[in-house]
């Protein structure tokens, strides 16, 4: 049974987390990695096949460019609802449904191509539909990772995923070219259809532990609002998003301008392929040394060093005019890139509790892809007007300058315990108001009797606690002093509904315990809590 094996192996990995191959001891992760590798090869083959088919249909370059738009647009349109769905519904079933959707679209694409009914607009539509399935699955797929491997092995697991992706990116297009030449473009679509079977089989056999639902279920719209609210009131996640967005905006020039630079130094297509191969090899090398670096240096130091290497590579590329000199620096950039992206991926997964993890990952994906797309457009525009060298110099120095952010916004500590800590007392609800619980809003008041000489410390601690209240569901918060009773303070906060307040109970984590205990250390006696429902005077 995969589920039982995963539980035992995950415990073993937690006890021995140091090695780079530790996640591979978990059979579920190992099976997913292999199945995902096969599926990614199929995806890259499909992408090449779609571009080639569009040209074969006599479409102009505008249609070919729209193929990339159709493939990327769903990630922007569906990121937030996809993340909400990944936290509301069973993640295992959601992955199965999206894989089945992509398999069905892939089959339609293959059948229509073989039968000769394909048109440019139909190809664009099916490309969009196929990408929509992947976009809807991505936050859930990434949120599953912490359920499969231990927290200490997340960075290694992310690096292994990076190796898998880079290998697939190298193998897929090359294999697609050979298949198209030997058997026609429709065969790439057939192989992509077949590549989904492995993921479906592995996920279908996964015995995911049943999780008891304590709080009322969320709606898609409410879950999306909760995700934005959570991120807005989580300084650690905001810091990570800022650092990631800035680095990706500047360093995107490496990927956007590499094809043009490669063409300038070597007119043959094989030159660009060689540089991509060097980048992939560097990424594999970086992943292999990552665990050794983590044992000696902090995450902040490794990430900052990786960004510095990226900046130096981008600036240096302007002075190199042959493949033999470009290849080593591109190799170094691959290592630096995988160190940066693997560690920030592991951080964002460690910083989000399970109830909101897929949504936080969706927002991270939005920032990631948005910054990358914006940076690519900006540096492409600069290259068009001022030349490739100027664009690379500006973006390279911008990448180097982004390290200064570490002085003001250091990467957060990912060791916080995000286990649910539902310890608040539930009120005894009188019968007269039980029918009104579906309404709202709900006002919660908490009276504190504060030690006189500790009042300033209490108020300061409460200001920090306000962020926790807002993060977990409150849309308004305040702390007030009683003018009739000395040393009495009253905290109030409003929640949209009783159901949302019940969810608020289940969203506190053990990481919040220290702050709550600090607040209570300034208080005498037990705080008095009251729950009040809005009195709707329009009801009889």
């Amino acid at each position: 049974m995969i589920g039982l094996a995963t539980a035992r192996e995950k415990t073993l990995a937690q006890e021995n987390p140091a090695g780079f191959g530790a996640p591979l001891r978990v059979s579920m992760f190992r099976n997913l990695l292999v199945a995902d590798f096969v599926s990614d090869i199929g995806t890259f083959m499909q992408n090449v096949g779609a571009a080639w088919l569009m040209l074969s249909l006599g479409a102009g370059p505008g249609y070919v460019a729209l193929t990339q738009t159709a493939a990327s647009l769903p990630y922007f349109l569906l990121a937030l609802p996809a993340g909400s769905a990944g936290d509301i519904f069973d993640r295992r079933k959601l992955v199965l449904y999206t894989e089945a959707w992509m398999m069905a679209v892939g089959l339609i694409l293959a059948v229509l191509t073989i039968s000769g009914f394909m048109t440019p607009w139909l190809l664009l539509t099916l490309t969009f539909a196929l990408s929509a399935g992947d976009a809807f699955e991505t936050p859930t797929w990434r949120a599953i990772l912490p359920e499969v491997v231990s927290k200490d092995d997340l960075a290694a697991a992310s690096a292994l995923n990076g190796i898998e992706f880079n290998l697939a990116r190298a193998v897929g297009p090359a294999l697609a070219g050979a298949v198209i030449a030997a058997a026609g473009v429709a065969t790439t679509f057939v192989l992509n259809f077949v590549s989904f079977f492995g993921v479906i089989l592995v996920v279908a056999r996964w015995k995911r532990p049943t999780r008891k639902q304590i709080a009322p279920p969320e709606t898609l719209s409410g879950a999306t609002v909760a995700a934005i609210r959570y991120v807005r009131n989580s300084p650690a996640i905001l810091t990570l998003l800022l650092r990631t967005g800035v680095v990706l905006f500047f360093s995107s020039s490496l990927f956007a301008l590499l094809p043009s630079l490669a063409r300038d130094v070597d007119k043959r297509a094989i030159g660009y392929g060689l540089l991509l191969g060097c980048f992939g090899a560097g990424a594999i090398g970086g992943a292999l040394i990552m665990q050794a670096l983590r044992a000696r240096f902090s995450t902040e130091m490794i990430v900052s060093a990786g960004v510095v290497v990226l900046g130096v590579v981008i600036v240096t590329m302007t002075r190199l005019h042959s493949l033999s000199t470009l290849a080593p620096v591109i190799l170094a950039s691959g290592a630096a890139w995988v160190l940066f992206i693997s560690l920030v991926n592991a951080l964002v997964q460690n910083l989000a509790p399970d109830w909101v993890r897929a949504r936080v990952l969706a927002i991270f994906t939005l920032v990631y892809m948005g910054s990358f797309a914006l940076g690519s457009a900006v540096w492409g525009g600069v290259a068009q007007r001022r030349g490739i060298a100027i664009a690379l110099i500006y973006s390279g120095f911008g990448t180097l300058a982004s390290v200064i952010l570490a002085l003001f916004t250091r990467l957060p500590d990912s060791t916080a315990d995000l286990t649910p800590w539902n310890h608040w007392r539930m009120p005894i609800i009188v019968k007269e108001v039980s029918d009104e619980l579906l309404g709202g809003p709900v006002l919660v008041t908490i009276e504190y009797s504060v030690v006189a000489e500790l009042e300033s410390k209490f108020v300061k601690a409460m200001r920090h606690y306000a962020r926790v209240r807002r993060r977990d569901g409150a849309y308004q918060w305040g702390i007030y002093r009683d003018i009739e009773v000395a040393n009495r303070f009253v905290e109030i906060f409003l929640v949209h509904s009783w159901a949302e307040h019940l969810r608020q109970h289940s969203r506190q984590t053990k990481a919040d315990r220290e702050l709550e205990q600090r607040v209570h250390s300034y208080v005498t006696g037990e705080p008095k809590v009251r729950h009040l429902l809005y009195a709707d005077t329009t009801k009889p």
Side-chain angles (χ1 to χ4, degrees):
M1 298 285 285
I2 289 181
L4 295 176
T6 298
R8 290 195 298 269
E9 292 158 351
K10 186 175 177 181
T11 302
L12 178 62
Q14 281 181 310
E15 294 171 354
N16 305 279
F20 171 74
L24 295 174
R25 292 199 294 262
V26 181
S27 62
M28 181 61 191
F29 174 79
R30 191 169 59 245
N31 294 337
L32 279 175
L33 191 69
V34 173
D36 198 30
F37 175 62
V38 174
S39 183
D40 282 345
I41 288 177
T43 299
F44 282 113
M45 293 182 69
Q46 191 276 333
N47 291 341
V48 173
W52 186 262
L53 178 59
M54 188 65 80
L55 291 171
S56 302
L57 292 171
Y63 278 99
V64 177
L66 281 175
T67 303
Q68 296 301 315
T69 303
S72 59
L73 188 59
Y75 290 93
F76 290 95
L77 298 179
L78 299 177
L80 285 177
S84 299
D87 286 326
I88 295 175
F89 305 116
D90 184 279
R91 289 172 182 163
R92 173 180 167 275
K93 292 180 179 179
L94 190 59
V95 169
L96 288 175
Y97 292 151
T98 53
E99 288 288 323
W101 165 267
M102 289 186 286
M103 177 179 280
V105 174
L107 179 61
I108 293 171
L109 185 60
V111 170
L112 289 177
T113 302
I114 293 171
S115 59
F117 291 110
M118 188 60 67
T119 66
W121 279 109
L122 189 54
L123 179 58
L124 288 176
T125 301
L126 291 173
T127 299
F128 181 90
L130 196 60
S131 186
D134 192 39
F136 206 81
E137 179 190 74
T138 296
T140 301
W141 182 268
R142 295 176 64 191
I144 283 175
L145 192 58
E147 299 183 33
V148 177
V149 302
S150 67
K151 183 176 180 179
D152 290 335
D153 290 335
L154 269 179
S158 295
L160 287 167
N161 279 333
I163 291 176
E164 172 269 310
F165 183 81
N166 279 289
L167 283 175
R169 182 164 58 181
V171 173
L175 189 58
V179 168
I180 291 171
V185 69
T187 310
T188 62
F189 301 147
V190 173
L191 292 175
N192 182 45
F193 164 75
V194 173
S195 72
F196 291 111
F197 278 102
V199 174
I200 291 176
L201 179 63
V202 172
V203 176
R205 293 179 60 201
W206 179 29
K207 305 301 180 183
R208 184 173 184 247
T210 303
R211 303 199 175 197
K212 185 178 180 181
Q213 181 73 30
I214 300 175
E218 297 179 82
T219 62
L220 277 176
S221 58
T224 302
V225 171
I228 297 172
R229 181 183 61 226
Y230 187 91
V231 171
R232 188 176 66 239
N233 291 286
S234 301
I237 294 177
L238 287 174
T239 295
L240 187 61
L241 292 177
L242 173 65
R243 295 280 298 276
T244 302
V246 171
V247 171
L248 284 172
F249 172 78
F250 286 108
S251 63
S252 61
S253 64
L254 173 65
F255 305 93
L257 301 179
L258 185 60
S260 300
L261 190 68
R263 187 179 57 191
D264 287 346
V265 300
D266 192 309
K267 302 298 182 184
R268 299 170 300 169
I270 194 173
Y272 179 52
L274 176 63
L275 293 180
L276 286 180
C278 289
F279 184 89
I284 295 172
L288 292 174
I289 65 172
M290 186 180 65
Q291 290 300 90
L293 292 175
R294 291 184 70 209
R296 299 186 60 184
F297 305 106
S298 67
T299 298
E300 177 65 71
M301 186 173 293
I302 298 171
V303 167
S304 295
V307 173
V308 168
V309 171
L310 281 174
V312 170
V313 165
I314 293 171
V315 173
T316 304
M317 285 165 59
T318 63
R319 311 298 300 174
L320 304 176
H321 306 291
S322 67
L323 285 178
S324 60
T325 53
L326 266 176
V329 297
I330 297 299
L331 189 77
S333 71
W337 176 259
V338 82
L339 287 172
F340 169 77
I341 209 65
S342 296
L343 289 177
V344 297
N345 265 301
L347 271 177
V348 74
Q349 292 183 75
N350 277 329
L351 289 170
D354 185 69
W355 70 268
V356 76
R357 182 176 292 126
R359 283 168 276 182
V360 171
L361 287 168
I363 293 174
F364 177 80
T365 300
L366 268 179
V367 171
Y368 179 106
M369 295 195 67
S371 301
F372 195 90
L374 179 61
S376 297
V378 168
W379 302 120
V382 173
Q384 185 75 23
R385 293 172 179 270
R386 303 285 303 277
I388 295 174
I390 293 296
L392 288 173
I393 289 172
Y394 286 173
S395 60
F397 280 115
T399 304
L400 288 169
S402 69
V403 178
I404 298 174
L405 289 173
L407 300 176
F408 312 101
T409 55
R410 294 187 64 82
L411 289 177
D413 182 8
S414 65
T415 59
D417 187 354
L418 300 181
T419 305
W421 187 46
N422 189 355
H423 65 291
W424 290 347
R425 178 187 63 84
M426 292 297 297
I428 299 174
I429 302 169
V430 297
K431 181 179 180 181
E432 288 77 4
V433 301
S434 59
D435 294 335
E436 301 177 28
L437 290 178
L438 294 178
V442 175
L443 172 67
V444 181
T445 69
I446 308 170
E447 291 184 6
Y448 301 93
S449 181
V450 182
V451 179
E453 58 270 20
L454 300 177
E455 288 180 2
S456 61
K457 292 183 178 180
F458 169 79
V459 173
K460 184 177 180 180
M462 288 303 297
R463 298 293 181 193
H464 290 289
Y465 205 33
R467 194 179 285 273
V468 174
R469 301 288 198 207
R470 291 192 176 100
R471 181 199 70 190
D472 292 344
Y475 68 88
Q476 189 172 329
W477 178 92
I479 183 74
Y480 298 87
R481 181 171 192 152
D482 196 325
I483 62 174
E484 296 182 359
V485 180
N487 305 330
R488 177 186 289 172
F489 287 77
V490 180
E491 177 193 9
I492 67 102
F493 57 89
L494 283 163
V495 186
H496 283 294
S497 67
W498 182 249
E500 184 67 8
H501 182 57
L502 293 180
R503 297 186 197 105
Q504 193 179 25
H505 275 239
S506 65
R507 288 170 179 170
Q508 270 214 316
T509 66
K510 291 182 179 179
D512 302 322
R513 184 187 323 190
E514 181 182 348
L515 180 56
E516 183 169 315
Q517 289 175 342
R518 179 153 41 106
V519 168
H520 287 184
S521 70
Y522 307 134
V523 174
T524 60
E526 190 69 21
K528 298 179 181 179
V529 183
R530 292 184 177 88
H531 300 81
L532 298 92
L533 284 172
Y534 177 71
D536 189 349
T537 57
T538 63
K539 292 184 178 180

